[in-house]
Amino acid sequence: MAVPASASGDADYIEAKAAHVLGFLRYTQWPAHRDAEQREVLVIGSRALFSAMRRQSRSGTRLGYAPVRVRRADPDHNKPEKLLQRSQAAHAVFIAGDSFEHRYRLLAGLTGKPVLTIGDASDFTETGGMLKLVTEGAQLRFVVNTAAIAASELKVSAKALRLARAQDEPP
């Protein structure tokens, strides 16, 4: 799942990041009680990533039979309780950046829930997130927190997990 990455503000990098996130969702299975006619992805923060994911999902991205719906929440204009409620209703949540002050509380509220948590904060997997996007050299890769995934009701393909780096594994 390594995708060439360039400077973080670059449009190509944002497009690659969006493709990476949507691609990983294809390798995730949700429990039957979370089955839906569509899969909802909530992006907290990054307007650019939201736009790229939305554009890519409109071009036919499907997870199995289910189309993907991408929504965005601005952490500066939503109360933490509302963000948690919206996150728990989603199938996946991408939390952008290190600056979101309620990130730890949000991750704690999603622990054990069938919601795939993805982020790019420097300590994302160490603080309970499931997948962290990192740039290693010229590649965009995932770091995985297998304990967080195991605590949820999600099933992530072993093939996808082999492509990721475990959080305690050096880059």
Side-chain angles (χ1 to χ4, degrees):
M1 287 189 127
V3 175
S6 56
S8 61
D10 189 23
D12 290 340
Y13 175 80
I14 297 297
E15 290 293 328
K17 201 176 205 181
H20 232 64
V21 171
L22 292 171
F24 202 93
L25 296 177
R26 288 187 185 102
Y27 295 99
T28 305
Q29 288 184 329
W30 283 263
H33 68 87
R34 287 299 314 265
D35 225 4
E37 290 184 22
Q38 66 182 4
R39 299 286 186 223
E40 183 171 321
V41 180
L42 179 65
V43 177
I44 298 176
S46 183
R47 192 174 308 258
L49 181 63
F50 162 74
S51 295
M53 287 179 67
R54 193 164 186 188
R55 186 171 39 260
Q56 289 179 28
S57 69
R58 284 185 175 162
S59 66
T61 299
R62 297 180 75 77
L63 301 176
Y65 66 89
V68 177
R69 181 178 185 176
V70 182
R71 293 181 178 221
R72 181 178 177 273
D74 186 338
D76 296 329
H77 296 100
N78 282 274
K79 293 183 177 180
E81 299 79 24
K82 181 70 172 172
L83 283 176
L84 179 59
Q85 183 181 36
R86 288 185 68 188
S87 296
Q88 289 174 336
H91 289 86
V93 176
F94 186 94
I95 303 172
D98 285 310
S99 61
F100 173 45
E101 66 179 285
H102 300 291
R103 178 168 40 99
Y104 305 114
R105 193 162 126 192
L106 182 63
L107 287 172
L110 293 172
T111 298
K113 304 277 194 261
V115 177
L116 186 66
T117 56
I118 309 164
D120 55 8
S122 57
D123 64 347
F124 192 77
T125 52
E126 294 82 1
T127 57
M130 295 177 187
L131 300 168
K132 174 173 62 175
L133 275 170
V134 296
T135 302
E136 293 178 352
Q139 300 294 313
L140 187 59
R141 302 194 56 139
F142 278 113
V143 175
V144 64
N145 178 344
T146 53
I149 293 172
S152 73
E153 298 176 62
L154 301 176
K155 291 190 170 109
V156 177
S157 159
K159 178 181 177 183
L161 292 176
R162 280 193 301 272
L163 296 173
R165 176 172 55 83
Q167 74 181 29
D168 55 357
E169 198 178 297

